[in-house]
Amino acid sequence: MNIRDAQYFVSKLGLEPHPEGGFYKRTFESGERTSDQELTVNFEGKRKLYTSIYFLLTSNDVSHFHRLKSDELWYYHAGSSLTIHIIHENGEYEEIKLGLNLDNGEVPQALVPKNAIFGSSVMEEDAFSLVGCMVSPGFEFQDFELFTQDDLLPKYPAYKDIIKKLAYKTIPE
């Protein structure tokens, strides 16, 4: 599927530009709420038990490095495989390839743990990837933190190449 096919999904699914890059649409959210008193997550107020989105990324864009206070499960749906780049809380870097080519090390679903710094990219030229992302406790923009190269390079100099690719030089307004 080439990049022109991405517009089909953007249009048919009603996707909108996402602040971290790519396109998204919230699809499901829990009617129940929880507080940080019941969890090992530190946030103000209550959160939905889960939220879920469609997320589409093309090879012309990246999902910039960011962090959430909640776990995020990723599910592959269509298009090219997608690489999730994770800097874990302990400072270790991991790449997860989301897709259906199991013989090539791809997996159809993956977990990004809470407090990890992560972003994603589509490695194939002229391609896109459509995935689903479920966050639990549910996503709220106040729990979303974007990073600049200046934030990350001093802490993780060994990951310079991927930081320069996935971190903003300055946070867009």
Side-chain angles (χ1 to χ4, degrees), residues 10 20 52 55 76 135 144 147 149 157 161 165:
V10 169
E20 78 192 42
S52 185
F55 181 64
Y76 174 81
V135 177
F144 175 80
F147 291 93
Q149 293 175 14
D161 291 343
K165 180 178 179 177

Side-chain angles (χ1 to χ4, degrees), residues 108-122:
Q109 63 183 28
L111 173 69
V112 175
K114 67 183 178 187
N115 299 320
I117 297 167
F118 67 103
S120 60
S121 60
V122 176

Side-chain angles (χ1 to χ4, degrees), residues 20 64-72 74 84-94 96 111-119 143-147 152 156:
E20 78 192 42
H64 291 87
F65 271 132
H66 60 288
R67 176 168 47 205
L68 301 178
K69 292 182 178 182
S70 301
D71 289 341
E72 183 168 33
W74 289 60
I84 306 169
H85 306 269
I86 305 169
I87 302 173
H88 291 277
E89 278 190 281
N90 66 5
E92 289 184 24
Y93 173 76
E94 178 184 13
I96 300 173
L111 173 69
V112 175
K114 67 183 178 187
N115 299 320
I117 297 167
F118 67 103
D143 300 330
F144 175 80
E145 182 181 6
L146 276 172
F147 291 93
L152 299 177
Y156 310 106

